[in-house]
Amino acid sequence: MVKKKEHLCVGVPFHAAEIYISRLIAKGYKVAICEQLEDPKATKGLVKRGVIRVVTPGTVIETNMLEEKKNNYIMSIVKSGMHYGLAICDISTGDFYATEIKLPENNFEKLLDEYARFAPAEIVVNTSMGASEKEINIMKDRNPSFVTIREDKIFSNKEDMLLKLYTIVDNFENKKEDLKDKELAVSAINGLLDYFSETQKVKLAHINKIKIYEVKKYMALDINARRSLELTERMRDKSKKGTLIWVLDKTSTSMGGRLLRRWINDPLVELEEIQNRLDSVSELKNNLMLRGDITDTLKKVYDIERLAGKISYGNANARDMISLKNSLINLPSLKATLSKFSSKYIQKLNNNLDQLTDIAELIEEAIVEEPPITIKEGGIIKTGYKEEIDEYRKASTDGKKWVIELEAKERELTRN
């Protein structure tokens, strides 16, 4: 089912669904995916069907529908008088940020700066913001986002569940225990999380940390400045070639490419953080051998952020698991290399890097090296991983012999 001013019902082959979804999303539609909820063999009459997920421009997770080195953000905006609360998330990676704009004046201009910085594919707004047609039109003129207006009740300012279910941190990654001074940010966060629950139908376990930042942490660049500087796209044709990121981006992974894009879009203004970053860059520049080791290691690492998102959704396949394993087995080598650096920023990265050896070992023990794409094809689990699975596999491949052996075994037990 597709919705845009009207409802359309379409049936497409399962293997071609992503092609049609990507075309509809590009045109600004929301796509509701319906599946059978019961086993046809075990059901009499009509099989129960239901919506299992709603795909919107801001909630796309399919990697072939996303740019590798660019985040796909969705933004929640709560307007209260002249002030605003913002929550921003890339659902494919789990990155989640929030802030609020409560300045003496020019609050909407600051909102436009943040809107231009993240360039969201979709915005979710409360009724007050939705009623501000002039503001919405100005924003859409700068960046054509899909707009969804939601009821005010979902933009709750209750903080208890947020603090219980999520790790909330500030600009400096310090854990926050109290959000009473961030009511508008909390409202925007709750509104966005509610939207995820309504559209995705599953708990997004990879979204577990929310950073509440201060807008003054980053240099204010309005949309016109960003266009003129051609940081990430050219003014004339919006292409990447010839831009600052085109010149600088020599990253080895998609994750690194997205991080570099964020750094270019978010120039720091705090001297200490600028110095820490420069110290790290200087040390990397002066250690040619170690820098080469890091580059070689990272070239073997897949997009772990988006793999984690697929796993959280429950739509990762066995080949995704092998990609994850092949990435994780490189983490010990990466950590060993990082430990040889002394700069504050790199040491912090090293200390926070979990090698995840238990997960890599589990995948290595359980899944064959070249598994099929779908579960229905079978042959995913290694022989010897679990005795029960081995028995079932034996029954499926050598059923007749297994039945004869079972008969003989049962006959012997009966005699006794």
Side-chain angles (χ1 to χ4, degrees), residues 288-302:
L288 179 63
M289 297 297 291
L290 290 179
R291 188 173 79 246
D293 290 343
I294 292 175
T295 301
D296 291 341
T297 302
L298 289 176
K299 285 180 179 178
K300 304 170 188 174
V301 175
Y302 292 84

Side-chain angles (χ1 to χ4, degrees), residues 83-86 98-103 156-160 162-163 168-171 174-189 211-216:
H83 299 154
Y84 303 90
L86 307 180
T99 191
E100 53 185 33
I101 301 172
K102 299 173 73 173
L103 305 174
S156 165
N157 61 6
K158 294 181 179 179
E159 61 178 79
D160 296 345
L162 285 182
L163 292 170
I168 313 292
V169 299
D170 62 14
N171 283 341
N174 299 315
K175 189 173 182 180
K176 292 181 70 69
E177 303 289 350
D178 186 358
L179 299 174
K180 288 183 173 57
D181 61 334
K182 299 292 180 183
E183 282 194 3
L184 285 178
V186 169
S187 296
I189 293 170
K211 177 181 283 190
I212 297 184
Y213 69 95
E214 300 294 335
V215 291
K216 63 183 179 181

Side-chain angles (χ1 to χ4, degrees), residues 11-73:
V12 298
F14 175 78
H15 66 274
E18 287 190 7
I19 298 172
Y20 289 95
I21 291 172
S22 63
R23 291 175 181 172
L24 291 165
I25 291 297
K27 292 181 180 294
Y29 286 93
K30 290 184 178 182
V31 182
I33 302 174
C34 302
E35 285 188 5
Q36 293 178 346
L37 303 180
E38 299 175 326
D39 184 352
K41 297 178 181 178
T43 306
K44 292 183 179 180
L46 292 175
V47 177
K48 185 179 180 181
R49 292 174 172 82
V51 176
I52 62 165
R53 181 183 164 213
V54 179
V55 186
T56 70
T59 59
V60 176
I61 60 164
E62 289 74 13
T63 52
N64 63 338
M65 293 166 57
L66 298 169
E67 290 188 43
E68 285 187 4
K69 293 188 174 184
K70 183 179 180 181
N71 287 100
N72 186 58
Y73 288 118

Side-chain angles (χ1 to χ4, degrees), residues 18 61-64 91-93 206 303-317 320-321:
E18 287 190 7
I61 60 164
E62 289 74 13
T63 52
N64 63 338
I91 202 170
S92 70
T93 65
H206 67 302
D303 195 337
I304 297 177
E305 287 180 335
R306 285 183 170 162
L307 281 174
K310 292 183 73 175
I311 294 168
S312 176
Y313 267 92
N315 65 353
N317 57 41
D320 291 326
M321 295 296 99

